[in-house]
Amino acid sequence: MFSYHPFRWIIFPVHDIVEREQKKGDWKHMGNVRWVLALISFLAITLFSCSKPPSPHDALKTYTSYWTKQQFAKMYDMLSEETKKTVGKEQFVDRYKKIYGDIQVSHLSVAPVPVQTDKKDSDKTEISLPFSVKMDTVAGPVQFRHEAKLVKEQSNDKEQWRIKWDPSYIFPQLGPNDKVRLNITPGKRGEIIDRNGQPLAMNGTAYEIGVIPGQMGDNAETIKQKLASLLGVSPEIITEKLNAPWVRPDYFVPIQKVSKTDKRVEEARRIQAVAVKETPEREYPLGAAAAHLVGYVGTITKEEWEAKKDEGYSPTSRIGKRGLEELWEGRLRAHDGARLYIEKADGSTVTIAETKPRDGETIAVTIDAKVQQAIYREMKGRAGTAAAIHPQTGEILALVSSPSFDPNRFVLGLSSSEYAKWQNDPLRPLVNRFAATYAPGSAIKPIIAAIALEQGAITPKETKTIHGRRWQPDRSWGNYFITRVHDGPERVDLTKALVYSDNIYFAMAGLELGPERMESGLRSFGFGEKPPFPYPIPASRFSNSGSLKTGPQLADTAYGQGEMQMSILHLAAAYTPFVTGGDLLQPVLEKGQPKTVWKQGVISSQTAAIVAGDLVRVVADPNGTAHDAYIKSIPLAGKTGTAELKQEKGTQGKENGLFVAYPADRRDLLLALLIEGVENDGGSRYAVNAAKRIFTSLR
């Protein structure tokens, strides 16, 4: 019987040609014939492939590929005509987008489950094939297997396999009239408490001022004007919030959060349709006094979310923005619990995935809130910074930057005008000054004295003869002179040099040390090395290049000028060897961390005792630069410093006043204080008197 082959009309004529050429023995043309054969074979295979019947397995593979990529519109295009009659494209796409968006789907993977294929599958008109789904959600991982129903349909004169879809493809438990629900149980952010348990950052409450639209009656515009004026917002903002799609007449529509002490609350309550509700909120009890240290939390930015979305953050997450809130975000952060479930038409529920909430860690720091507040209060809003440490343990008792800002305003909702006011303030309250570096001025002299004593460049009793207020070693310095503020004694020993804060004496000592020994000594005190401290405080330096040259630069460095820069915390820590007998302590911020020596034996106990004794005289001696801080009941040891900030030698510039001091009898609080712009306030005397008030208030 004759059997028809679709390619017979191509193959047989070619076969005849080959046979004829072989009989003729004309092999010369056989190469061309072989080429023609190859081409025709390729065309035959291609035509055969094109005529291959559609496969339901291929269709499901394509569909699941679109699904994995969340290309929902393309998924819809592969649905059966029957399915499309029951669900529209926009409805289909929006439902997937909303559900997947709400439950924060990530790492989605959808694929056919491998099964043994049958050539007869393509001949069927309907088939069920298994597929698997894996995804991560806010409620945890979800994984299931399901069966896809595919039907063969005629489309544009071609047969194609289509998906017979229903809601169970989203989740197998989901019926036509069921709903996907998500219940979030918030975790609590960890709190930050001081050494005595007083909160520095806590989970407190605030008031939310809002409007109930249905109670506005005919006075809507008047009410919006009154409330806008009271809260400092535009009426348009209130209108926009009232017109949100979710708003109903009897709903409370929040407009602005305020602190519980805000005096506007009672006035707001007197406005028609305005209501006040208590709401959970982060609180900072010390306010501006600890703002730069503690920081605040705020809504995550787009850039932050892009960097952290794989860590479980959502576009609406709140995150630490500055200070310890940012530094310890990973430890303080709470992880919300979530339950993803199906609400059945009969009211019953089926849980798909669930995670329990995890509270953040509460962290106790060495900070003493009382000390922190006392220092900030006595700085009286002047620009400056301070660090207070326990000189026998290295525990940080306070880190202050002044002026500052109220972190509660950022949390409750800071207006653009408020932020602009802070940003444009010439005193720069948003700048964290304890994370900056300054010229230490004469406050560095005890450290230089200790280095010089250790190196044998000076001895305690050795005197230097100094005439007048200006000095230079020789005429090679040209017009460059070292000056001292007051006429002091002509014969100066170490004690007098510190009591009178004699720049010339220390310049001489620095030149005697030489660049190499000076560099080595300063490095032993931590210069050029980032402090072993979790907070991002820069390394102090003695020069921009990292080395010193003999001459004016070396001389200026010896009394804290030149290119020397120190952080206020490093300056405080640098005085600890005078209390410990020679060890430089590591600053400690977290309570319970053991005392740690940063640099062991930087000076001998003998040198430490000599310098410590002289620091007592700087305050007690009537001629001492810090005598204003003398308190009979609190014998202080300390050293003043005035750092001049000027463009060139011989000009008048701004001055920063410094004072580093500790009670010589108890040695339980070492304070390093810097006040900017004291050139019209007696220089370092301003800092000395501020420190005196601080020590007095804390006793």
Side-chain angles (χ1 to χ4, degrees):
M1 181 182 288
F2 176 77
S3 177
Y4 173 74
H5 193 288
F7 305 117
R8 190 180 185 90
W9 64 274
I10 296 176
I11 297 172
F12 280 10
V14 173
H15 180 270
D16 292 344
I17 293 170
V18 174
E19 203 172 59
R20 185 169 61 248
E21 293 298 327
Q22 285 177 332
K23 287 178 180 179
K24 289 165 62 178
D26 190 356
W27 295 99
K28 181 172 64 175
H29 302 292
M30 286 305 293
N32 292 336
V33 172
R34 290 191 185 95
W35 182 85
V36 172
L37 275 172
L39 176 62
I40 291 173
S41 297
F42 171 75
L43 291 171
I45 292 169
T46 303
L47 287 170
F48 179 78
S49 299
C50 291
S51 67
K52 181 182 177 182
S55 163
H57 301 278
D58 291 342
L60 182 59
K61 184 177 181 181
T62 301
Y63 184 79
T64 55
S65 174
Y66 290 150
W67 193 348
T68 296
K69 298 172 185 175
Q70 298 189 42
Q71 296 176 332
F72 305 126
K74 290 184 177 181
M75 288 168 60
Y76 183 84
D77 292 340
M78 291 188 68
L79 300 187
S80 68
E81 291 302 319
E82 182 184 347
T83 303
K84 289 179 178 179
K85 290 177 183 178
T86 62
V87 58
K89 186 171 186 176
E90 185 176 349
Q91 179 188 0
F92 179 88
V93 172
D94 287 350
R95 189 174 191 187
Y96 266 101
K97 281 186 175 180
K98 176 165 177 39
I99 291 174
Y100 279 20
D102 288 348
I103 67 176
Q104 300 175 32
V105 167
S106 62
H107 305 109
L108 176 65
S109 174
V110 188
V113 175
V115 294
Q116 187 171 359
T117 59
D118 190 329
K119 292 180 180 179
K120 295 181 180 180
D121 286 348
S122 298
D123 298 331
K124 297 177 181 178
T125 59
E126 188 169 331
I127 191 171
S128 293
L129 296 175
F131 66 90
S132 66
V133 177
K134 294 179 182 179
M135 67 178 79
D136 288 334
T137 74
V138 68
V142 173
Q143 182 175 347
F144 62 85
R145 289 179 64 163
H146 198 40
E147 282 199 343
K149 294 180 180 178
L150 292 90
V151 294
K152 189 186 292 184
E153 294 182 346
Q154 195 77 15
S155 176
N156 297 326
D157 298 326
K158 292 182 180 179
E159 288 184 339
Q160 290 186 338
W161 285 96
R162 300 290 189 180
I163 309 297
K164 197 173 180 180
W165 183 90
D166 64 60
S168 68
Y169 283 56
I170 300 175
F171 295 113
Q173 304 92 332
L174 186 64
N177 299 315
D178 299 343
K179 295 179 180 179
V180 178
R181 299 295 193 191
L182 181 68
N183 184 42
I184 300 295
T185 304
K188 294 180 181 178
R189 187 174 179 85
E191 296 186 329
I192 304 173
I193 58 176
D194 85 337
R195 66 191 299 111
N196 301 310
Q198 181 171 336
L200 303 178
M202 61 182 287
N203 298 316
T205 57
Y207 283 138
E208 202 161 32
I209 298 175
V211 177
I212 301 173
Q215 298 179 7
M216 297 175 76
D218 298 330
N219 301 321
E221 293 305 316
T222 302
I223 291 169
K224 285 188 280 187
Q225 289 287 347
K226 283 184 178 180
L227 189 58
S229 176
L230 178 66
L231 299 180
V233 300
S234 69
E236 290 75 20
I237 289 177
I238 297 177
T239 300
E240 181 181 344
K241 292 185 176 184
L242 290 173
N243 290 338
W246 60 269
V247 173
R248 299 290 181 271
D250 58 339
Y251 282 13
F252 173 83
V253 182
I255 304 298
Q256 189 178 99
K257 288 181 180 180
V258 298
S259 71
K260 290 191 294 184
T261 59
D262 198 310
K263 296 178 181 178
R264 295 174 296 175
V265 171
E266 291 307 315
E267 191 173 344
R269 284 193 170 109
R270 290 193 288 268
I271 301 175
Q272 178 186 339
V274 173
V276 178
K277 288 188 174 182
E278 192 171 64
T279 182
E281 193 51 88
R282 195 71 163 171
E283 282 188 51
Y284 302 98
L286 270 61
H292 289 284
L293 171 63
V294 178
Y296 58 89
V297 295
T299 302
I300 196 169
T301 64
K302 183 180 178 181
E303 294 75 17
E304 289 169 334
W305 179 67
E306 286 293 338
K308 289 182 172 289
K309 60 184 178 182
D310 290 339
E311 299 175 32
Y313 288 91
S314 75
T316 58
S317 292
R318 302 183 83 188
I319 192 171
K321 293 288 187 177
R322 297 175 70 132
L324 301 181
E325 289 275 31
E326 180 180 3
L327 180 69
W328 287 331
E329 167 66 20
R331 296 170 62 184
L332 295 167
R333 176 191 175 195
H335 294 264
D336 292 342
R339 180 184 174 227
L340 172 62
Y341 64 98
I342 304 296
E343 184 182 290
K344 307 296 286 183
D346 62 3
S348 62
T349 62
V350 179
T351 299
I352 304 298
E354 185 173 13
T355 55
K356 301 297 183 183
R358 285 191 290 121
D359 295 342
E361 179 185 352
T362 291
I363 302 175
V365 293
T366 58
I367 297 295
D368 187 321
K370 185 179 178 182
V371 176
Q372 182 84 19
Q373 289 174 301
I375 294 172
Y376 185 77
R377 180 179 62 248
E378 296 303 337
M379 291 179 76
K380 300 185 182 300
R382 293 289 294 263
T385 183
I389 64 176
H390 194 302
Q392 298 187 73
T393 66
E395 293 174 299
I396 299 171
L397 304 176
L399 276 175
V400 179
S401 179
S402 174
S404 186
F405 59 90
D406 183 1
N408 295 294
R409 293 298 307 127
F410 276 101
V411 172
L412 298 172
L414 187 70
S415 69
S416 56
S417 60
E418 285 179 294
Y419 184 75
K421 182 179 178 182
W422 286 342
Q423 199 170 35
N424 298 326
D425 189 325
L427 293 179
R428 302 182 300 164
L430 297 176
V431 172
N432 183 359
R433 287 171 164 85
F434 66 73
T437 56
Y438 294 83
S442 295
I444 198 67
K445 288 173 180 174
I447 287 86
I448 301 299
I451 294 170
L453 286 169
E454 288 291 303
Q455 295 289 341
I458 61 172
T459 63
K461 299 300 181 183
E462 174 192 354
T463 61
K464 298 183 184 297
T465 302
I466 302 171
H467 301 287
R469 297 189 183 183
R470 298 200 313 167
W471 173 85
Q472 61 179 190
D474 54 57
R475 293 184 178 180
S476 66
W477 282 30
N479 292 325
Y480 200 94
F481 289 85
I482 305 298
T483 60
R484 55 183 182 178
V485 179
H486 305 290
D487 284 326
E490 291 190 353
R491 299 188 65 79
V492 183
D493 61 12
L494 177 58
T495 300
K496 290 178 181 177
L498 286 168
V499 167
Y500 286 90
S501 195
D502 197 318
N503 289 347
I504 296 176
Y505 176 95
F506 281 95
M508 290 177 171
L511 293 174
E512 182 66 28
L513 270 170
E516 291 184 2
R517 290 197 295 175
M518 176 75 84
E519 286 181 27
S520 175
L522 289 172
R523 290 187 192 281
S524 73
F525 270 85
F527 276 82
E529 184 179 329
K530 189 181 181 304
F533 180 65
Y535 205 95
I537 291 179
S540 299
R541 67 175 189 267
F542 46 75
S543 73
N544 297 336
S545 65
S547 61
L548 292 169
K549 296 179 181 178
T550 191
Q553 183 200 35
L554 181 60
D556 287 343
T557 302
Y559 57 91
Q561 292 282 174
E563 297 173 353
M564 179 176 275
Q565 294 280 302
M566 293 185 80
S567 67
I568 197 70
L569 181 60
H570 185 199
L571 180 60
Y575 274 63
T576 58
F578 308 133
V579 176
T580 64
D583 290 338
L584 175 62
L585 299 184
Q586 174 181 318
V588 173
L589 182 58
E590 194 166 350
K591 188 178 179 182
Q593 185 176 343
K595 171 183 173 180
T596 305
V597 175
W598 180 9
K599 305 283 184 180
Q600 189 170 15
V602 293
I603 56 176
S604 66
S605 58
Q606 183 181 6
T607 296
I610 291 169
V611 176
D614 287 341
L615 293 179
V616 172
R617 293 182 180 88
V618 170
V619 178
D621 192 313
N623 295 310
T625 55
H627 188 63
D628 282 355
Y630 179 73
I631 309 168
K632 189 174 182 181
S633 59
I634 310 174
L636 294 178
K639 182 67 189 75
T640 58
T642 303
E644 296 179 276
L645 312 175
K646 47 191 178 184
Q647 299 299 318
E648 57 185 37
K649 195 79 171 177
T651 62
Q652 183 67 33
K654 297 285 186 181
E655 291 182 358
N656 292 337
L658 298 98
F659 186 44
V660 183
Y662 58 88
D665 57 345
R666 293 171 59 171
R667 299 186 174 193
D668 57 355
L669 171 64
L670 190 154
L671 172 67
L673 176 66
L674 181 149
I675 304 292
E676 297 178 14
V678 294
E679 60 277 1
N680 298 318
D681 299 298
S684 62
R685 291 186 67 182
Y686 190 93
V688 168
N689 285 299
K692 182 179 182 179
R693 295 192 299 269
I694 292 167
F695 280 108
T696 302
S697 68
L698 292 173
R699 273 295 174 100

